[in-house]
Amino acid sequence: MALALGGNVEGTIAGETSPVERTLIWALWQLQASLGDLRSASLYRSRAVSLPGSPIAQPDFLNTAAIARTDLPPDAVLALAKALELAAGRRRGARFGPRPLDIDLLLYDDRRSGLPELTLPHPRLRERRFVLAPLAEIAPDLAVPPDGARVADLLARLGEPGDAGIADDVERIGWGRS
């Protein structure tokens, strides 16, 4: 199972304001407590996804990815992710707007689902460098359904930052440097 985590505004953990990096660390600890052994990537910085005509200006995101093996079914993992987002202070607002914590279930073995509340694999996984870069760091050979493409190959297909038309929008910064 693979998860993507990100955030770009302060959250609230146990009633106290928390910077984004601390919120991500807290979420990883909570996920490990519920799922078991968890392997996480470095911390990355990326520009917020901007939509044409969107009036929402927002700070850069901090992102990471994690992989785990669990006996929990995908819908239980999704429920856990949503509960952690709420506990960190996330409130529903503008789509792609600022948020203290966003956790996406990217992959769950080779399962496929087209349910509106849970699409597996994540529908935009293959086009998001801010998801693929951290995931490739910890699981470059992980196969993505339906064709079994490796995560590292999907990242390579996006091209290199600096290539014509490709922005340098993801930077590996490491933990404790945000």
Side-chain angles (χ1 to χ4, degrees):
M1 174 197 56
L3 299 160
L5 293 86
N8 70 338
V9 293
E10 289 185 338
T12 307
I13 301 173
E16 294 189 25
T17 300
S18 173
V20 177
E21 182 174 352
R22 185 165 153 226
T23 300
L24 293 173
I25 292 168
W26 170 84
L28 289 167
W29 279 104
Q30 297 301 313
L31 288 166
Q32 182 162 313
S34 297
L35 303 174
D37 285 338
L38 192 76
R39 192 167 73 189
S40 60
S42 299
L43 191 63
Y44 289 73
R45 183 185 338 267
S46 65
R47 285 194 295 273
V49 173
S50 63
L51 302 174
S54 174
I56 301 172
Q58 54 184 316
D60 289 349
F61 269 83
L62 296 181
N63 306 97
T64 191
I67 58 172
R69 293 211 177 274
T70 184
D71 292 330
L72 291 177
D75 59 330
V77 174
L78 180 64
L80 171 62
K82 297 308 167 199
L84 292 174
E85 289 176 353
L86 286 174
R90 181 166 180 180
R91 301 295 176 256
R92 294 292 163 208
R95 188 166 188 218
F96 302 117
R99 49 204 174 273
L101 181 62
D102 184 34
I103 304 174
D104 289 329
L105 179 54
L106 302 173
L107 301 166
Y108 193 103
D109 300 326
D110 60 353
R111 294 189 193 193
R112 295 174 68 192
S113 170
L115 299 173
E117 63 277 3
L118 179 60
T119 304
L120 290 171
H122 189 283
R124 290 171 298 285
L125 165 64
R126 293 170 179 259
E127 62 197 50
R128 292 183 165 172
R129 183 181 306 279
F130 65 87
V131 171
L132 288 171
L135 189 56
E137 176 188 328
I138 57 173
D141 295 325
L142 187 63
V144 178
D147 60 358
R150 293 174 353 123
V151 168
D153 294 335
L154 293 172
L155 180 59
R157 287 180 198 162
L158 293 179
E160 291 297 321
D163 289 352
I166 298 174
D168 188 10
D169 59 352
V170 176
E171 173 190 12
R172 181 179 176 182
I173 60 172
W175 294 100
R177 298 189 52 220
S178 65

